[in-house]
C-alpha cells in the first residue's frame, strides 16, 4: 500500500505510583504500565485503486455496479457495522514487523486547493500490536498506481460547479471510541463507532452571494467534492445535505475579498445517508468486498 507517512503503532504509558513511605526519603516508588493503546495517522496518496481499500475501512464495503472495465463503487456513510483489518508495518532492514490488529478507520481529512498532489489523512485506531522478525503478510501484490492531483479537483453545489473557490477542507469522522475492559493482556476490548459527522470549510472569493445567501437563510444544499481523470476514472464525495455557518467578508488589503464558510452535513432522507463516496475504476467488486 503506497503511503507518505504513517505513525500507527502501540503505546503503553508509564503511570506514577503516588506511594508514601517506600524509602526513607522523598523518592518515588516504581511506576506501573497502563493499558495498551493502538492508534495513529496514515497520510496516503489519493489514487485510483488503493484509496478504495481505505474507503472500505472507513465506510464499509461498497455497492458495485457497471461492467468491465468500467466499475462504479459506491460507499455510504452511517453503516451499522464497520470492518477491521490487520495492518503490518515492516522495517525489513532491522528486521522488525509490527502487526496492528483490529484496526479501524476513525477519520478522513482531505484538503482541496488549486495545485499539488492529492493526499488523504486517515485517523486509525486498533486493539493490539505484535512485533516479530519476519513478515506475516505473505507475498504482497502492488496494484497499478494512478494518482490524482489537486488540479483535477472540482467542487459543485446543487449539481452546478461552484465558482471562485480558492480552497476547501472536508473531514469525516466515525466517532470511534476505545472500549476499555479488564483484560489480562492489558489491551482494549475493541473500537466501537459512534455518531458519524462530516464537517469542513469552503473558502471562496466574494464574487457573488450564493454561499452567503444560503448561510443567512439557514437552508441546506448538496455539495460534491471530486477528483476526475476522465468519465470512467474519478472519485467523488457527495454530502447530500450541507448547512453553512454565516461568515464575515473581511477586507484585508488591495487584493480580492475572500470568505471562509464552515459547514456541517446531516442525514438526508432522500439519499438515506449523509455522505456517498463514488469511486470509478477498473477494479471488480471482489477487490473491495
Amino acid at each position: 500500500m503506497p503511503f507518505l507517512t504513517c505513525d500507527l503503532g502501540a503505546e503503553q504509558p508509564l503511570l506514577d505510583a503516588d506511594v508514601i513511605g517506600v524509602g526513607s526519603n522523598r523518592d518515588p516508588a516504581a511506576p506501573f504500565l497502563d493499558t495498551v493503546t493502538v492508534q495513529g495517522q496514515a497520510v496516503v496518496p489519493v489514487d485510483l485503486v488503493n484509496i478504495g481499500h481505505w474507503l472500505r475501512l472507513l465506510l464499509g464495503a461498497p455497492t458495485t455496479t457497471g461492467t468491465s472495465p468500467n466499475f462504479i463503487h459506491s460507499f455510504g456513510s452511517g453503516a451499522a457495522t464497520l470492518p477491521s483489518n490487520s495492518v503490518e508495518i515492516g522495517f525489513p532492514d532491522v528486521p522488525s514487523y509490527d502487526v496492528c490488529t483490529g484496526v479501524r478507520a476513525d477519520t478522513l481529512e482531505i484538503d482541496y486547493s488549486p495545485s499539488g498532489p492529492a493526499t488523504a489523512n486517515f485517523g486509525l485506531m486498533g486493539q493490539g500490536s505484535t512485533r516479530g522478525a519476519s513478515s506475516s503478510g505473505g507475498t504482497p501484490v502492488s496494484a497499478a498506481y494512478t494518482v490524482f492531483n489537486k488540479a483535477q479537483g472540482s467542487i459543485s453545489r446543487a449539481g452546478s460547479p461552484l465558482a471562485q473557490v480558492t480552497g476547501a477542507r472536508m473531514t469525516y469522522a466515525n466517532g470511534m471510541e476505545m472500549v476499555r475492559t479488564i483484560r489480562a493482556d492489558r489491551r482494549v476490548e475493541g473500537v466501537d463507532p459512534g455518531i458519524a459527522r462530516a464537517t469542513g470549510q469552503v473558502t471562496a472569493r466574494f464574487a457573488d452571494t450564493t454561499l452567503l445567501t444560503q448561510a443567512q437563510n439557514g437552508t441546506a444544499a448538496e455539495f460534491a467534492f471530486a477528483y476526475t481523470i476522465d468519465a470512467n476514472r474519478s472519485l467523488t464525495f457527495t454530502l447530500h445535505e450541507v448547512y453553512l455557518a454565516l461568515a464575515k467578508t473581511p477586507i484585508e488589503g488591495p487584493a480580492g475579498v475572500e470568505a471562509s464558510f464552515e459547514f456541517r452535513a446531516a442525514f438526508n432522507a432522500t439519499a438515506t445517508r449523509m455522505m456517498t463516496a463514488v469511486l470509478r475504476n477498473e477494479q471488480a467488486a471482489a477487490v473491495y468486498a
Side-chain angles (χ1 to χ4, degrees):
M1 297 286 287
F3 67 98
L4 284 81
T5 64
C6 181
D7 63 358
L8 177 66
E11 292 181 314
Q12 189 175 18
L14 289 169
L15 299 181
D16 290 329
D18 296 326
V19 179
I20 302 173
V22 175
S24 59
N25 54 29
R26 294 181 294 105
D27 292 340
F32 58 92
L33 289 168
D34 198 15
T35 305
V36 177
T37 58
V38 178
Q39 57 189 108
Q41 305 282 328
V43 180
V44 303
V46 181
D47 75 315
L48 198 59
V49 176
N50 295 291
I51 195 66
H53 296 291
W54 293 105
L55 292 176
R56 174 190 171 276
L57 196 61
L58 182 78
L59 302 171
T63 299
T64 300
T65 58
T67 57
S68 181
N70 303 318
F71 292 100
I72 304 171
H73 310 280
S74 296
F75 303 81
S77 64
T81 59
L82 294 174
S84 64
N85 283 145
S86 292
V87 178
E88 182 180 85
I89 302 170
F91 302 89
D93 293 341
V94 177
S96 176
Y97 294 86
D98 185 12
V99 180
C100 298
T101 56
V103 176
R104 286 179 164 171
D106 181 27
T107 61
L108 162 66
E109 182 173 340
I110 294 184
D111 288 321
Y112 288 79
S113 61
S115 63
T119 61
N121 189 332
F122 286 88
L124 307 173
M125 302 174 72
Q127 183 190 32
S129 172
T130 304
R131 284 188 179 270
S134 60
S135 173
S136 60
T139 303
V141 177
S142 297
Y145 182 64
T146 303
V147 69
F148 294 101
N149 59 72
K150 291 183 176 179
Q152 296 167 327
S154 63
I155 300 174
S156 63
R157 175 188 177 276
S160 299
L162 191 60
Q164 302 288 337
V165 176
T166 59
R169 182 189 73 253
M170 187 195 73
T171 300
Y172 177 85
N174 275 316
M176 294 287 187
E177 182 177 350
M178 290 187 178
V179 181
R180 298 175 183 268
T181 59
I182 300 171
R183 293 171 54 113
D185 58 8
R186 295 177 177 168
R187 294 182 176 183
V188 298
E189 191 68 29
V191 182
D192 289 348
I195 296 178
R197 301 190 187 278
T199 61
Q201 183 185 73
V202 174
T203 301
R205 291 174 64 87
F206 192 48
D208 58 53
T209 60
T210 300
L211 297 179
L212 184 62
T213 300
Q214 179 184 337
Q216 288 175 327
N217 294 341
T219 55
E222 182 178 89
F223 280 68
F225 302 81
Y227 289 116
T228 305
I229 297 176
D230 55 40
N232 296 310
R233 295 183 297 171
S234 64
L235 173 62
T236 304
F237 294 94
T238 301
L239 302 177
H240 300 285
E241 191 167 312
V242 173
Y243 296 85
L244 299 177
L246 186 60
K248 298 185 292 185
T249 52
I251 302 172
E252 299 177 340
V257 176
E258 290 187 348
S260 295
F261 295 86
E262 301 287 339
F263 69 77
R264 292 182 180 272
F267 172 83
N268 180 267
T270 302
T272 68
R273 64 185 57 167
M274 175 177 62
M275 182 182 79
T276 301
V278 177
L279 176 63
R280 295 173 179 264
N281 60 22
E282 298 180 1
Q283 303 301 304
V287 174
Y288 306 122

